[in-house]
Amino acid sequence: MNHHFDAIVAGAGIVGAACAASLARTGMHVALVDRGGVGSETTSAGMGHIVVLDDSEAQFALTRYSQRLWQELAPTLAAEAEYEALGTVWVAANDEELAEAERKSAYYNERGVPAKMLSSRELAEYEPNLRAGLAGGLFMPQDAIVNPPAVAMHLVTLALAHGAELLLGCKINSLRRGEAVLEKGGVRLTAPLLINATCGWATDFDPGLPIRKRKGHLVLTEKYPDLVRHQVAELGYLKSTHAAESDSVVFNVQPRPNGQILIGASRQYDNEDTGVDKRIVDALLKRAAQYMPALATKKMATTRVGFRAATPDKLPLIGPVPDDETLWLATGHEGLGITTSLGTAALIAAALTGLKLEIPIEPYLPARFDN
């Protein structure tokens, strides 16, 4: 095994895999290191929703840029990646949420992102199994769904094709000053560039990072084809992103290509128990049935638990650590890690190689929290 590389990427989830692929394509000799398998932790518990959001201008810029990169990648993906541009139906339950949908529609269309307002009648045509009496909604036709672990493996394969090395089952004890020290045998890997892409576990290497783990549950049903046609979520989903101090559940469902339905989403902070919380799952299913009553009678197949990395300003940490010129961060994406994985990797590769940055990297730099 080589011990010296041009870059060492810690974490073989979808963000780390994307970073490894992007850097390897520039000609760097990359080591991608993970304590488990490819896409086996947070990535495996992701909903796989490729979505544009506008909580801030910086969030919009990164999600839209990433969505375009997904559209470019899609034709190269194998069938198991399950990429489908189904679109998102954002559901407005009342007039207040409908006004928010109208605001969002204007915002997106002004920026060249297709968005269509749905009346109450049109909403029922798009998703016949939603409950009656909803105010309307917003349809985002370019949003997509994907199987995150399969895409992570695709990106790793691309990295390997460009000479990268993959080290699985290798826990890193220390990542700093151009060196990654492995737990097994104290092996030391060196590189002038280190990338911490370990999601919620990024603080294992630096407890001072402005990151909190956010626990989330997803429930997968048995196969019920045609019950759900698009990614469907309540507009209250966006409001809940601000409820940082309390547990929350929202209606968010996705049809999987095999006929199963993925039901989300929940948020719990400061809970690092890896087990399923029955109280949260029950609340999640109750919320889903409030919007789509037919779900109340469907059988559940399995529940997934994952931990996202949340930052105080809801933006990821992308770029160098101020006190260590060798160490870059690619973490803090919270629930948008799948969407923004490609944009994150592209920004890092461009910044390191002097290529043109398609969007400014400044809003995501870790140094913003040092002011």
Side-chain angles (χ1 to χ4, degrees):
M1 180 181 70
N2 288 322
H3 288 162
H4 184 73
F5 301 87
D6 297 321
I8 298 169
V9 180
I14 195 166
V15 173
C19 289
S22 291
L23 295 176
R25 278 197 297 263
T26 71
M28 289 188 185
H29 184 204
V30 178
L32 178 59
V33 187
D34 196 283
R35 65 185 183 182
V38 173
S40 62
E41 295 194 29
T42 302
T43 296
S44 68
M47 205 160 197
H49 188 194
I50 311 302
V51 58
V52 173
L53 293 180
D54 66 328
D55 194 50
S56 65
E57 289 290 344
Q59 185 189 71
F60 170 77
L62 185 58
T63 55
R64 179 56 172 165
Y65 174 46
S66 298
Q67 187 182 67
R68 288 178 174 143
L69 293 175
W70 275 103
Q71 291 166 349
E72 293 173 9
L73 180 68
T76 71
L77 294 173
E80 55 265 27
E82 298 176 349
Y83 180 95
E84 290 187 282
L86 298 179
T88 301
V89 172
W90 292 103
V91 180
N94 51 45
D95 290 343
E96 179 186 0
E97 290 183 358
L98 192 62
E100 173 63 8
E102 290 171 345
R103 183 202 66 77
K104 293 172 74 65
S105 177
Y107 179 96
Y108 291 133
N109 280 304
E110 286 171 3
R111 289 159 176 77
V113 182
K116 177 186 178 183
M117 285 297 299
L118 302 177
S119 67
S120 179
R121 177 185 58 80
E122 290 171 322
L123 180 64
E125 292 172 354
Y126 272 65
E127 291 293 338
N129 289 301
L130 286 169
R131 76 167 191 260
L134 294 164
L138 176 69
F139 181 56
M140 303 292 295
Q142 292 190 1
D143 288 355
I145 64 171
V146 73
N147 180 351
V151 176
M153 185 59 73
H154 174 84
L155 294 169
V156 167
T157 301
L158 287 178
L160 296 176
H162 285 86
E165 295 187 36
L166 179 62
L167 285 71
L168 299 180
C170 296
K171 185 177 185 295
I172 298 175
N173 279 347
S174 173
L175 189 73
R176 61 191 299 273
R177 307 294 177 196
E179 186 175 72
V181 182
L182 305 186
E183 182 177 69
K184 188 175 182 180
V187 173
R188 297 174 183 271
L189 309 179
T190 59
L193 172 65
L194 309 173
I195 296 182
N196 183 349
T198 56
C199 196
W201 291 267
T203 53
D204 287 358
F205 301 123
D206 183 356
L209 292 177
I211 286 176
R212 294 171 70 190
K213 285 192 183 76
R214 194 206 81 194
K215 183 178 181 178
H217 289 73
L218 295 175
V219 179
L220 197 62
T221 71
E222 299 288 354
K223 296 180 181 180
Y224 300 104
D226 302 321
L227 183 66
V228 183
R229 298 177 178 179
H230 310 84
Q231 180 91 26
V232 188
E234 61 171 298
L235 275 164
Y237 176 87
L238 304 177
K239 294 179 185 177
S240 78
T241 62
H242 300 288
E245 300 305 323
S246 60
D247 295 351
S248 63
V249 298
V250 290
F251 169 66
N252 189 3
V253 296
Q254 177 187 109
R256 298 306 308 159
N258 67 354
Q260 291 182 289
I261 299 165
L262 198 56
I263 302 175
S266 71
R267 288 182 169 87
Q268 291 175 281
Y269 287 89
D270 303 320
N271 182 341
E272 299 193 17
D273 182 355
T274 58
V276 173
D277 187 330
K278 186 177 184 301
R279 176 183 59 88
I280 291 292
V281 172
D282 288 346
L284 195 62
L285 296 178
K286 180 179 179 181
R287 186 68 175 176
Q290 288 173 350
Y291 277 83
M292 197 166 279
L295 288 173
T297 62
K298 305 308 179 188
K299 294 180 179 179
M300 303 300 131
T302 187
T303 301
R304 301 173 182 171
V305 175
F307 294 87
R308 281 75 174 169
T311 64
D313 63 3
K314 308 296 181 184
L315 294 174
L317 301 169
I318 305 173
V321 172
D323 64 350
D324 183 351
E325 63 183 13
T326 71
L327 180 60
W328 285 51
L329 299 178
T331 186
H333 300 83
E334 198 173 351
L336 289 170
I338 307 302
T339 291
T340 58
S341 55
L342 301 186
T344 296
L347 283 178
I348 289 175
L352 287 167
T353 58
L355 295 176
K356 177 186 176 184
L357 290 165
E358 295 299 322
I359 62 172
I361 196 172
E362 283 75 14
Y364 323 107
L365 291 173
R368 71 187 187 271
F369 289 109
D370 281 5
N371 296 330

